[in-house]
Amino acid sequence: MLKKLSSMAIFSFMATLATFGFQTVVTHLLTTEDYGILAKWLTDINYLGMFFVLGLDSSILYHAKLGERYEENMGKNLMIYFLVFCTAFSVIYFFNFDTHYYIPLFISIVSLSITSVFKSYFHFKEEYLWFNLLNLILPVCLLTTFGLSFFL
């Protein structure tokens, strides 16, 4: 138990350190306007991600402890995320929003949601190595998505 807790703390610290290091480097590479766009994008991910996840990752754990099959709830959550993404994509298309900004944003949010499902799975199975790796890799993937969409 102590070994699992210490590994979670170490990976959490590494993720925080990597994010801090990234922000330090990016502040010197981007202009003020570009950094403002990055900050807006990250803020939007946090707020919209909170809406997208809807606590469904926690509900999977709750229902699994009640005896329901984890995989069935996981499939339901993935279907909900897909429907919400399709709805968001339709809104972007019909209201003619800036697709260069919003499509990568929603792709990032859906990937965040799907990752949260897998994180809850690894938490449920007590496979903390994978749980911690997802916590470490997720910020890198989100920032790579931003970089590719913004600079290409």
Side-chain angles (χ1 to χ4, degrees):
M1 176 74 171
L2 188 58
K3 183 179 178 182
K4 291 178 184 178
L5 182 61
S6 64
S7 72
M8 287 181 71
I10 289 170
F11 274 94
S12 176
F13 179 73
M14 288 172 50
T16 303
L17 193 62
T19 303
F20 179 74
F22 172 78
Q23 286 180 342
T24 304
V25 170
V26 165
T27 56
H28 295 290
L29 296 177
L30 296 177
T31 65
T32 306
E33 182 178 305
D34 293 341
Y35 189 75
I37 293 171
L38 173 66
K40 179 182 184 289
W41 195 75
L42 291 174
T43 304
D44 289 346
I45 283 178
N46 286 328
Y47 283 121
L48 293 173
M50 187 172 53
F51 172 73
F52 262 73
V53 173
L54 298 169
L56 293 175
D57 53 343
S58 299
S59 70
I60 290 176
L61 294 172
Y62 174 76
H63 289 287
K65 289 183 180 184
L66 291 178
E68 294 182 26
R69 287 192 39 192
Y70 188 90
E71 291 78 14
E72 289 176 11
N73 289 323
M74 191 170 151
K76 290 176 191 175
N77 284 6
L78 293 176
M79 286 185 350
I80 290 170
Y81 295 145
F82 180 73
L83 289 174
V84 171
F85 177 73
C86 289
T87 303
F89 187 75
S90 300
V91 167
I92 291 170
Y93 179 74
F94 287 121
F95 290 108
N96 202 18
F97 287 136
D98 181 19
T99 56
H100 186 72
Y101 177 80
Y102 285 102
I103 289 180
L105 177 72
F106 281 112
I107 288 172
S108 298
I109 291 170
V110 168
S111 65
L112 173 77
S113 303
I114 291 170
T115 304
S116 72
V117 170
F118 286 106
K119 280 175 41 179
S120 68
Y121 174 76
F122 293 130
H123 188 135
F124 178 70
K125 297 292 185 178
E126 296 184 4
E127 296 180 16
Y128 292 109
L129 175 65
W130 290 105
F131 178 84
N132 291 326
L133 284 175
L134 285 176
N135 277 337
L136 188 61
I137 292 172
L138 184 63
V140 173
C141 292
L142 291 177
L143 295 171
T144 303
T145 303
F146 173 79
L148 290 175
S149 68
F150 187 71
F151 295 112
L152 293 181

